[in-house]
């Protein structure tokens, strides 16, 4: 087992993706995100949001952390290191899963792609990529498997929205019709080799394209041209956040953290106790599953404002003058036309339609409706 880490000495300096010059030429407002200089928006984040919901948007996601795990015992290592049953994933498919500490706390949520019998790609959040890499390297002791830092080997471009299949079909002969959700296949896109994955973080149909960094500009330009006639626009991190919030998708550092187990986050389904062998955090997660079944702690719910004031992460959720929870993410919803939030609230106030719930916004208790997640679901 070995691990390389070309990014370890770059923590002090801000990193730039291969598309940095493209973003600046497009007039993007840039922002620091997990040490990367990333586009926040190109114009109106509301317009970018609506474009993804109704047409298509183009995203640079090259800040995400790719880690390759290979070797005869690669599957066994990932089954031990992660909470999911990775060994059961078929070649060409992907799995949403998590990596937890021994106490059950969530280190990160991940997507794992099985590229071949003995080859996997683990995609971590940018802010946690080093933590995940270090944990996998440590947990690989005793396994005939290699953990490799491939963050510098990939650029990641996503095209998301109802027009995305047609846009991508214009620049590839890959079988997109046969590509299922949470699956990936190697192919050629706009003349460059790519891993084409039908995944995303927007609540819409779409694709994520993993390519070598030197091919990123060429691919971006080809997709931009292919989408000209159907309203494709470049999109930044700001609308990505409102899109994922409407779709009820968790964000690490907000809905997920080391102080929460997957069961606390309402995502206990990703923990597979029936897989062979032990895995890191099993004992603590079994206890967390029992607690969640008998006396659930706070429950993650949706909140929709009755007024216009926007809740933010950390704001208290109240009922009857008492604090009953905390907002984890909040923003104006371009699709609903109202402020929305996700929040952890006491189980007694978690049922959709529960009366008397509000959010403390700078001393004023603003009324909110408790709703089931997600706020938005695309039509199939």
């Amino acid at each position: 087992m070995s691990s390389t880490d070309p990014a370890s000495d770059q923590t002090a300096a801000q990193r730039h993706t291969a598309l940095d010059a493209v973003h600046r030429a497009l007039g993007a407002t840039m922002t620091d995100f997990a040490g990367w200089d990333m586009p926040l928006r190109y114009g109106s984040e509301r317009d970018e949001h609506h474009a993804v919901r109704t047409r298509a948007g183009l995203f640079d996601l090259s800040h995400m952390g790719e880690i390759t795990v290979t070797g005869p015992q690669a599957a066994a290592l990932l089954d031990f290191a992660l909470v999911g049953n990775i060994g059961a994933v078929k070649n060409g498919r992907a799995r949403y899963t998590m990596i937890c500490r021994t106490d059950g706390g969530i280190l990160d949520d991940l997507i794992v792609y099985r590229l071949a019998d003995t080859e996997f790609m683990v995609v971590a959040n940018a802010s946690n990529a080093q933590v995940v890499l270090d944990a996998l390297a440590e947990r690989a002791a005793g396994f005939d498997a290699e953990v490799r830092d491939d963050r510098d080997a990939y650029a990641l471009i996503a095209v998301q929205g109802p027009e995305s299949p047609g846009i991508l079909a214009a620049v590839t002969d890959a079988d997109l019709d046969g590509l299922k959700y949470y699956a990936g296949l190697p192919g050629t896109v706009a003349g460059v080799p790519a891993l084409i994955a039908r995944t995303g973080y927007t609540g819409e149909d779409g694709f994520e394209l993993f390519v070598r960094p030197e091919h990123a500009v060429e691919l971006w330009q080809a997709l931009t041209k292919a989408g000209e006639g159907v309203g494709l626009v470049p999109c930044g991190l700001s609308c990505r956040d409102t899109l994922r919030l409407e779709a009820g998708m968790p964000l690490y550092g907000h809905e997920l953290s080391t102080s929460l187990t997957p069961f606390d986050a309402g995502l206990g389904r990703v923990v597979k106790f029936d897989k062979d062998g032990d895995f890191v955090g099993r004992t603590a997660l079994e206890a967390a599953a029992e607690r969640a079944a008998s006396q659930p702690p706070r429950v993650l719910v949706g909140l929709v404002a009755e007024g216009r004031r926007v809740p933010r992460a950390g704001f208290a959720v109240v009922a009857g003058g008492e604090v009953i929870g905390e907002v984890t993410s909040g923003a104006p919803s371009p699709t609903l036309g109202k402020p929305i939030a996700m929040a952890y609230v006491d189980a007694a106030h978690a049922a959709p339609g529960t009366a008397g719930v509000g959010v403390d916004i700078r001393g004023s208790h603003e009324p909110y409706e408790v709703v089931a997640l997600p706020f938005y679901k695309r039509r199939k």
Side-chain angles (χ1 to χ4, degrees):
M1 175 273 145
S2 67
S3 172
T4 57
D5 178 19
S8 62
D9 60 349
Q10 296 173 321
T11 51
Q14 198 170 50
R15 303 189 69 188
H16 299 85
T17 78
L19 291 161
D20 185 71
V22 173
H23 302 318
R24 295 176 191 281
L26 289 168
T29 299
M30 306 296 286
T31 188
D32 177 82
F33 186 84
W36 291 82
D37 202 19
M38 298 295 294
L40 185 65
R41 68 181 71 84
Y42 299 84
S44 160
E45 56 201 48
R46 179 177 292 269
D47 289 347
E48 292 172 22
H49 181 109
H50 284 308
V52 176
R53 286 279 179 256
T54 60
R55 302 184 306 279
L58 192 61
F59 296 83
D60 178 10
L61 305 179
S62 302
H63 61 312
M64 300 295 283
E66 296 86 5
I67 302 163
T68 301
V69 181
T70 59
Q73 291 187 302
L77 162 59
L78 291 172
D79 276 341
F80 170 73
L82 311 180
V83 301
N85 188 353
I86 308 304
V89 178
K90 295 179 180 177
N91 290 353
R93 297 308 301 267
R95 181 69 48 85
Y96 175 77
T97 188
M98 294 182 182
I99 182 168
C100 290
R101 304 191 307 190
T102 54
D103 66 0
I106 303 166
L107 285 172
D108 201 13
D109 61 336
L110 313 164
I111 295 181
V112 179
Y113 298 87
R114 189 167 199 161
L115 306 180
D117 287 346
T118 59
E119 183 179 6
F120 298 80
M121 183 169 67
V122 178
V123 181
N125 286 296
S127 57
N128 293 327
Q130 188 64 49
V131 170
V132 174
L133 176 69
D134 291 345
L136 287 175
E138 180 183 339
R139 295 173 190 188
F143 289 92
D144 186 4
E146 177 187 1
V147 176
R148 186 174 72 238
D149 183 357
D150 270 348
R151 283 176 285 181
D152 289 339
Y154 291 102
L156 177 56
I157 296 173
V159 55
Q160 299 277 302
E163 297 288 349
S164 59
I167 293 168
L168 190 55
V171 291
T172 185
D173 58 3
D175 179 18
L176 300 183
D177 288 340
L179 186 63
K180 297 177 180 177
Y181 187 50
Y182 265 70
L185 81 165
T188 301
V189 183
V192 305
L195 172 65
I196 306 167
R198 199 164 207 153
T199 47
Y201 194 51
T202 64
E204 299 297 335
D205 191 12
F207 303 87
E208 295 181 322
L209 308 170
F210 295 85
V211 298
R212 293 197 60 80
E214 58 265 31
H215 295 146
V217 172
E218 182 182 352
L219 178 57
W220 180 279
Q221 291 172 342
L223 289 165
T224 298
K225 186 174 182 183
E228 280 176 352
V230 292
L232 174 74
V233 301
C235 293
L237 294 181
S238 185
C239 84
R240 180 170 153 88
D241 190 49
T242 53
L243 289 160
R244 71 92 194 168
L245 176 56
E246 287 183 352
M249 295 177 171
L251 175 63
Y252 196 89
H254 289 253
E255 288 72 42
L256 309 175
S257 71
T258 53
S259 64
L260 297 168
T261 73
F263 294 94
D264 297 326
L267 292 166
R269 64 181 181 277
V270 306
V271 182
K272 305 301 181 186
F273 293 119
D274 57 351
K275 63 179 174 178
D276 293 335
D278 194 13
F279 62 91
V280 176
R282 176 191 272 274
T283 301
L285 289 169
E286 286 174 340
E290 287 183 19
R291 287 196 303 272
S294 60
Q295 186 178 6
R298 286 181 168 176
V299 178
L300 187 65
V301 301
L303 298 174
V304 177
E306 294 181 19
R308 308 304 304 171
R309 300 188 72 184
V310 179
R312 298 298 182 188
F315 285 12
V317 182
V318 294
E322 301 290 327
V323 174
I324 58 151
E326 184 176 301
V327 171
T328 53
S329 296
S333 166
T335 302
L336 275 63
K338 299 177 180 179
I340 60 173
M342 286 198 281
Y344 283 107
V345 302
D346 294 345
H349 299 273
T354 299
V357 172
V359 175
D360 186 338
I361 301 181
R362 296 177 181 85
S364 174
H365 291 186
E366 300 291 326
Y368 273 74
E369 179 187 1
V370 179
V371 300
L373 293 169
F375 301 96
Y376 166 85
K377 231 182 222 184
R378 71 180 175 94
R379 291 182 220 170
K380 302 294 184 184

